[in-house]
Amino acid sequence: MTEYLTVDGGTIAYEVAGSGPLIVLAHGMGDSRAAYRAVIPPLVAAGYRVAAVDLRGCGESSAEWPEWSRTAIAGDLLAVVRHLGGPAVLVGHSVSGGAATIAAAREPALITAVVELAPFTRKQSVRLGDLRVRRFRRGMSRLLGAVLFGSAKLWRSYLDVAYPGAKPAHWAQRLARIDALLREPGRMKALRGMGGSAPADAGARLADVRCPVLVVMGTLDPDWADPRAEGAAVVAALPPGLGRLELIEGAGHYPHDQFPDRVASLVLSFLHSDAARA
């Protein structure tokens, strides 16, 4: 059941399942909370109250917003946590990984742990050698084209690369939902706005995080020539001992949709660890 929270600038849609300690799930650009549909049941079964959020401009949240930065998204997520009676664990994918970092740094009393899935949390740079990796060339050219030209066709083409190997059983339904949303007024503007926002604001707050952080990367993520190195760099920028990197073999940029059971298992193991409990 969709619920709505009015925040500064618009309305955020979300849904809640289960009872227990709060976990808030935030998706990536051009998507909706439906991306987490297979992750929610095992988290609920493990005794958590799970809130899946539609980012500003996405899903059932209002379409028009004044800005699309990770800092702005972090403010929305913190508002949801306060509204639902935090503290909470924040799980953020891609652009929301950076937003979760900022939220944790801004309100350490509200965020007990962070999980970053394929996160854009640092300033990005491309080396000449990166372009020799075909997966990276294909993914980034399509991603950049979708953002620059506002092309739903290029976005679908990017998603085909971002889900390497066998597609999920609900792939056709997933694409149809994304296509339908992007045809709504203002939704493509949100994708382009988030895609054009630099992650430097998130990278600047990594050293200020005080809670445990789990970074999950797919080994075939086309957004980086070396996903392991990107994940390790995020962990290295955190205060010593707070970060942990896990890799999912064969996953692309959407590990939570391609391998939901594996992601749920990693999240639960992380939350049950001594570091996360502390």
Side-chain angles (χ1 to χ4, degrees), residues 54-150:
D54 284 333
L55 298 190
R56 53 173 54 203
C58 302
E60 295 180 79
S61 293
S62 54
E64 293 295 333
W65 295 78
E67 65 170 306
W68 308 102
S69 69
R70 287 156 181 77
T71 297
I73 295 169
D76 299 339
L77 297 178
L78 287 169
V80 171
V81 172
R82 292 190 197 95
H83 177 69
L84 294 177
V89 174
L90 268 187
V91 179
H93 170 236
S94 198
V95 65
S96 290
T101 295
I102 296 169
R106 280 174 52 180
E107 298 280 355
L110 274 184
I111 308 302
T112 57
V114 168
V115 179
E116 302 196 15
L117 306 172
F120 276 96
T121 308
R122 305 184 317 125
K123 181 179 179 180
Q124 300 293 297
S125 60
V126 178
R127 298 171 302 175
L128 185 60
D130 294 342
L131 299 177
R132 300 191 183 100
V133 181
R134 181 172 181 267
R135 161 180 51 80
F136 175 71
R137 290 199 314 273
R138 293 177 68 213
M140 291 309 294
S141 62
R142 299 174 192 199
L143 178 60
L144 290 173
V147 172
L148 287 173
F149 302 114

Side-chain angles (χ1 to χ4, degrees), residues 192-214:
R192 299 181 73 187
M194 290 180 195
S197 67
D201 55 347
R205 299 308 302 268
L206 279 166
D208 301 325
V209 173
R210 294 295 177 261
C211 65
V213 178
L214 171 65

Side-chain angles (χ1 to χ4, degrees), residues 2 14 24 40 47 56 63 73 84 114 128 138 151 158 164 224 234 236 250 258 263 267 269 275-276:
T2 304
Y14 66 94
V24 174
I40 293 172
R56 53 173 54 203
I73 295 169
L84 294 177
V114 168
L128 185 60
R138 293 177 68 213
S151 168
Y158 162 74
W224 294 279
V234 172
Q258 280 190 290
V263 168
V267 170
S269 176

Side-chain angles (χ1 to χ4, degrees), residues 165-256:
K167 301 296 190 283
H170 59 271
W171 181 242
Q173 179 184 354
R174 180 107 162 87
L175 285 184
R177 171 65 172 157
I178 291 171
D179 281 345
L181 285 172
L182 289 179
R183 284 195 296 269
E184 294 180 1
R187 303 303 184 192
M188 180 57 76
K189 179 182 177 182
L191 184 154
R192 299 181 73 187
M194 290 180 195
S197 67
D201 55 347
R205 299 308 302 268
L206 279 166
D208 301 325
V209 173
R210 294 295 177 261
C211 65
V213 178
L214 171 65
V215 178
V216 179
M217 304 293 290
T219 59
L220 297 182
D221 192 327
D223 287 18
W224 294 279
D226 187 344
R228 177 193 293 270
E230 179 63 25
V234 172
V235 170
L238 292 162
L242 284 188
R244 177 194 306 181
L245 172 63
E246 295 284 353
L247 299 171
I248 297 182
E249 192 67 35
H253 193 60
Y254 294 79
H256 50 300

